[in-house]
Amino acid sequence: MELLKRKIEDEGTVLSGQVLKVDAFLNHQIDPVLMLEIGKEFSRLFAGEGVTKVLTLESSGIAPSVMAALEMKVPVVFARKQKSLTLTDNLYVERVYSFTKQQTNEVTVAKKFLSADDRVLIIDDFLANGEAALGLANIVKAAGAEVAGIGIVIEKSFQPGADKLKAAGYRVESLARVASLDNGKVTFLNNSVS
Ligand code: 5GP
């Protein structure tokens, strides 16, 4: 998605060879015009998949997910990150290791918001090692529902997440694919370089 790539080039910051900071338009301040375009693109890519619900992870997955869900006219559910839980009867719970925070969270979704006849589009802001997306996919499976696909705003293709998800049989669509963050520079897969 060219608009997104330009935005990353203009406003993204490389924090290390591994982490891209995009707090100017996605992770802190949010650009709603860009989010709407992202939502339209996810909607276009997954049209025909029979999506009944969008599932994401708080907090940075919410903005692109709401826009995609608005386009698709389906609800969006965000999984919550919680420390440690005692009462889990009404919840689906998955342990997810956070790439950026380097800690494990329990990620939860209320059982009443997913049902066996749902076809769920999972959306997240970044894809690194695939932990977050796989955790969400496990929650969808626990509900007896189907994963219709996985939509990622920014995939870091030099990390193993995308291959892991595809090997698990999921359709993955990433709007920007970063080949490297070496030398403080964003290099996209398929030519374009910042
Ligand atoms: P994964 O679970 O695929 O290892 O990592 C994806 C999750 O970690 C996303 O939900 C995102 O919040 C966070 N993340 C991973 N890499 C980056 C990054 O380079 N920049 C930012 N801002 N978040 C990242």
Side-chain angles (χ1 to χ4, degrees):
M1 190 179 166
E2 286 308 313
L3 186 64
L4 173 62
K5 287 201 221 168
R6 296 293 85 77
K7 195 81 174 174
I8 294 169
E9 287 174 352
D10 293 345
E11 298 182 24
T13 318
V14 177
L15 283 190
S16 67
Q18 303 278 306
V19 177
L20 176 63
K21 192 171 175 191
V22 290
D23 61 351
F25 62 89
L26 178 58
N27 290 144
H28 193 3
Q29 174 169 263
I30 292 171
D31 179 340
V33 176
L34 177 65
M35 291 306 123
L36 182 58
E37 293 308 314
I38 284 172
K40 286 181 182 166
E41 187 63 3
F42 281 137
S43 174
R44 188 186 69 76
L45 288 165
F46 290 101
E49 295 283 359
V51 174
T52 63
K53 209 159 265 195
V54 173
L55 177 65
T56 189
L57 191 56
E58 67 176 357
S59 55
S60 295
I62 295 175
S65 295
V66 167
M67 294 307 190
L70 177 66
E71 286 296 311
M72 298 174 125
K73 303 282 181 286
V74 298
V76 47
V77 177
F78 62 89
R80 295 183 145 156
K81 294 172 188 164
Q82 282 159 284
K83 256 281 146 70
S84 66
L85 292 161
T86 43
L87 282 172
T88 59
D89 285 1
N90 302 318
L91 300 173
Y92 296 112
V93 183
E94 272 290 316
R95 287 172 66 78
V96 170
Y97 181 77
S98 164
F99 177 81
T100 41
K101 305 246 158 69
Q102 306 208 332
Q103 65 181 34
T104 300
N105 288 307
E106 293 196 328
V107 163
T108 68
V109 173
K111 287 185 177 169
K112 65 181 172 185
F113 293 129
L114 285 177
S115 60
D117 52 7
D118 274 321
R119 285 188 54 80
V120 180
L121 173 60
I122 292 169
I123 289 181
D124 203 7
D125 59 339
F126 272 90
L127 178 58
N129 294 323
E131 294 280 317
L134 280 172
L136 294 177
N138 286 342
I139 286 176
V140 173
K141 283 198 279 185
E146 286 231 15
V147 176
I150 298 174
I152 299 293
V153 180
I154 304 171
E155 170 189 311
K156 291 181 294 176
S157 309
F158 56 91
Q159 290 169 330
D163 286 342
K164 243 194 257 178
L165 296 177
K166 287 175 195 165
Y170 299 118
R171 176 182 170 196
V172 181
E173 297 287 353
S174 303
L175 304 188
R177 300 171 73 210
V178 174
S180 126
L181 294 174
D182 291 346
N183 307 315
K185 204 172 74 169
V186 182
T187 307
F188 293 105
L189 221 60
N190 318 331
N191 54 62
S192 132
V193 174
S194 75

